[in-house]
Amino acid sequence: MIISTTLEFISTDAPSIAEKVALSLKPDNLSNMETEIGDGKAVITIRTEKISSLIATVDDLLMNAKIAEDVICEIEDKE
C-alpha cells in the first residue's frame, strides 16, 4: 500500500517566500517526492509505503522549511 501526503506552502504577504523555501528544499527531494512551484505557492507531495517514513520525512521537511524561511526573511529584511 502506498501512503501519500501533500504539503502546501502559501505566503499571502510575500508570495515569493513560499517559492524560495520550496526551491531551497528541492535539491534534497528523494525519488518519492515531487515539488510544484507557482502562483505564490509551493506544493510538495510525498509517497511512501511506511507511515513512520512519511512522518519522519514530513518532520524533517517542515523543520528545514522553517529554517529556510527564517534565513530568507532575514536576508530580505536587510535589503
Side-chain angles (χ1 to χ4, degrees):
M1 175 172 74
I2 299 293
I3 304 165
S4 69
T5 191
T6 301
L7 302 174
E8 206 170 300
F9 297 95
I10 302 170
S11 180
T12 55
D13 296 335
S16 67
I17 297 288
E19 294 175 12
K20 289 175 183 175
V21 167
L23 286 172
S24 72
L25 299 173
K26 193 173 180 178
D28 289 334
N29 279 7
L30 302 171
S31 60
N32 64 335
M33 299 170 69
E34 298 171 10
T35 301
E36 295 179 31
I37 299 168
D39 298 326
K41 69 178 182 177
V43 178
I44 301 173
T45 303
I46 305 163
R47 293 177 182 82
T48 186
E49 293 182 7
K50 295 181 180 180
I51 190 71
S52 58
S53 296
L54 182 68
I55 292 168
T57 301
V58 169
D59 184 54
D60 288 346
L61 188 68
L62 292 175
M63 185 180 311
N64 291 334
K66 177 62 178 147
I67 292 167
E69 179 186 27
D70 290 348
V71 169
I72 292 165
C73 289
E74 184 72 26
I75 290 168
E76 289 186 354
D77 286 346
K78 291 184 178 187
E79 291 179 347

